[in-house]
Amino acid sequence: MTNSTTMDRVQLGVTGPLVGRIGLGGMSMSGAYGASDEAQSIATVHAALDSGATLIDTGDFYGFGHNEMLLGRALSDRPREDYLLSVKFGGLRGPDNSWGGFDGRPAAVRNFLGYSLQRLGVDYIDVYRPARLDPNVPIEETIGAIAEMVEAGYVRYIGLSEVGAETIRRAATIHPIADLQIEYSLISRGIEREILPTTRELGIGITAYGVLSRGLLSDSLRTRPDFDPGDFRAHSPRFQGDNLTSNLRLVEALAAIAETRGATVAQLAIAWVLSRGADIVPIIGARTPQRWSESAAALDIRLTEDEIAEIEAAVPAEQVAGERYATAQMAMLDSER
């Protein structure tokens, strides 16, 4: 079955592929925010493709490989040319769900890639990227190893994730970089200072995750639900105590604007990111077809400059309470140095 709806497409950077204007992220389908339903997850993948989306993002460490195997099943009856797979690699985890850092050694690149190809059931990955910077391995060595896999036909394009401007420049000297995947939303705007100007100078696209700030910028958390212990948000500073109370006040201000537009909070948050430029492709972590449909409807919202100013005044990034990750994880982010 081919795409039944034509979604606008944009190019990932000056050297990357054409992709649907928004993409689908798979992390939420593999336990990051509590239990999920496999049938609903597969239906969501199909709904995204049928709406004209083409880019599907995953990580080999999502659910210890569960997400890649899930996507492999979901995509098994779809023509390979109908979708592009973006895969992050290198995250090290223990059987107790602990983190052990990131491995960007050339030998590890080849190892991780082999496992991903097998789990996904494909012959090549469209965009392959280290999930984080390995502080013990020069980025030039990691990118060089991926470039060898491009030459061998196992990878089509190279991407980066959560790295800063200096690392981006160094990586780009080794091989063309299609895109940088990084958190970007109304309440996570740090890339605007140095990283976004750098990617634009170098012709590198942005695939933005966390566009809804893990559900904060939506209607789903306005009633302050309890988080499952396995839910990422149960341990995230922005969702704790007074921080959550403060952040939900910002959400209420956004909700008032959304109501005047006949939109949901999530749709307005996505529309704002879309308004930041055609070089920025939001990755939406929907796990039901209904959530995907709601998100995709944001493509029909065109914000005026006055509306953008009103939104940004209602949700000032500097008033957001709490970091986007816990302290130990923030320390792993080259993009925050």
Side-chain angles (χ1 to χ4, degrees):
M1 183 175 180
T2 57
N3 296 335
S4 59
T5 301
T6 301
M7 179 185 292
D8 286 347
R9 296 192 180 187
V10 292
Q11 187 171 5
L12 277 187
V14 297
T15 64
L18 288 174
V19 299
R21 190 65 185 88
I22 60 174
L24 175 66
M27 187 176 76
S28 64
M29 301 175 184
S30 294
Y33 302 119
S36 59
D37 179 88
E38 175 156 333
Q40 284 287 292
S41 296
I42 290 175
T44 304
V45 174
H46 293 170
L49 293 176
D50 291 343
S51 71
T54 59
L55 186 65
I56 300 175
D57 180 77
T58 186
D60 61 12
F61 48 89
Y62 290 172
F64 295 90
H66 171 273
N67 199 244
E68 288 184 322
M69 291 186 286
L70 171 68
L71 291 176
R73 292 189 289 274
L75 297 168
S76 62
D77 62 345
R78 297 289 174 133
R80 183 64 180 88
E81 63 271 16
D82 277 8
Y83 60 88
L84 295 96
L85 289 166
S86 162
V87 178
K88 294 180 291 297
F89 71 88
L92 302 176
R93 301 182 69 175
D96 59 352
N97 209 30
S98 60
W99 280 98
F102 300 88
D103 192 345
R105 295 171 303 143
V109 170
R110 295 186 287 271
N111 175 77
F112 287 128
L113 177 59
Y115 278 101
S116 286
L117 292 170
Q118 179 68 26
R119 286 189 292 251
L120 288 161
V122 296
D123 297 324
Y124 64 90
I125 303 297
D126 295 281
V127 188
Y128 202 52
R129 68 184 81 243
R132 298 288 188 270
L133 177 68
D134 183 342
N136 300 311
V137 179
I139 190 63
E140 291 87 350
E141 292 186 15
T142 303
I143 298 303
I146 306 174
E148 291 178 1
M149 297 298 94
V150 173
E151 183 69 23
Y154 296 117
V155 172
R156 295 285 173 86
Y157 302 94
I158 299 179
L160 295 168
S161 177
E162 287 289 355
V163 292
E166 180 186 352
T167 302
I168 295 168
R169 291 185 185 281
R170 289 170 54 192
T173 65
I174 303 302
H175 189 277
I177 303 298
D179 71 307
L180 169 70
Q181 188 171 118
I182 197 163
E183 186 165 353
Y184 186 48
S185 73
L186 260 173
I187 64 174
S188 293
R189 299 178 60 181
I191 72 169
E192 294 175 351
R193 290 190 295 272
E194 186 177 7
I195 291 174
L196 186 56
T198 299
T199 58
R200 285 177 167 164
E201 175 193 336
L202 298 176
I204 296 170
I206 295 286
T207 42
Y209 76 88
V211 172
L212 302 181
S213 299
R214 307 182 190 280
L216 183 59
L217 292 175
S218 73
D219 295 304
S220 63
L221 300 184
R222 292 168 68 188
T223 56
R224 296 184 66 102
D226 292 327
F227 298 119
D228 183 276
D231 190 319
F232 169 90
R233 295 168 295 187
H235 314 284
S236 174
R238 286 184 177 171
F239 296 87
Q240 308 304 309
D242 291 341
N243 284 353
L244 181 58
T245 299
S246 176
N247 292 333
L248 285 176
R249 283 197 288 269
L250 302 180
V251 176
E252 290 303 321
L254 187 61
I257 299 173
E259 186 175 357
T260 66
R261 283 297 307 256
T264 66
V265 172
Q267 287 168 344
L268 206 61
I270 296 168
W272 180 85
V273 173
L274 287 166
S275 76
R276 298 302 79 208
D279 58 336
I280 300 175
V281 176
I283 302 296
I284 309 301
R287 52 181 173 175
T288 68
Q290 293 76 22
R291 286 297 188 200
W292 174 261
S293 295
E294 175 191 350
S295 299
L299 292 165
D300 297 325
I301 298 175
R302 297 289 186 269
L303 297 173
T304 67
E305 289 301 316
D306 286 345
E307 288 172 326
I308 290 169
E310 182 184 14
I311 289 168
E312 293 176 355
V315 189
E318 64 273 12
Q319 291 186 18
V320 176
E323 299 284 2
R324 55 194 181 104
Y325 288 101
T327 302
Q329 289 179 295
M330 286 293 289
M332 298 180 186
L333 298 178
D334 182 64
S335 54
E336 293 288 341
R337 294 195 176 95

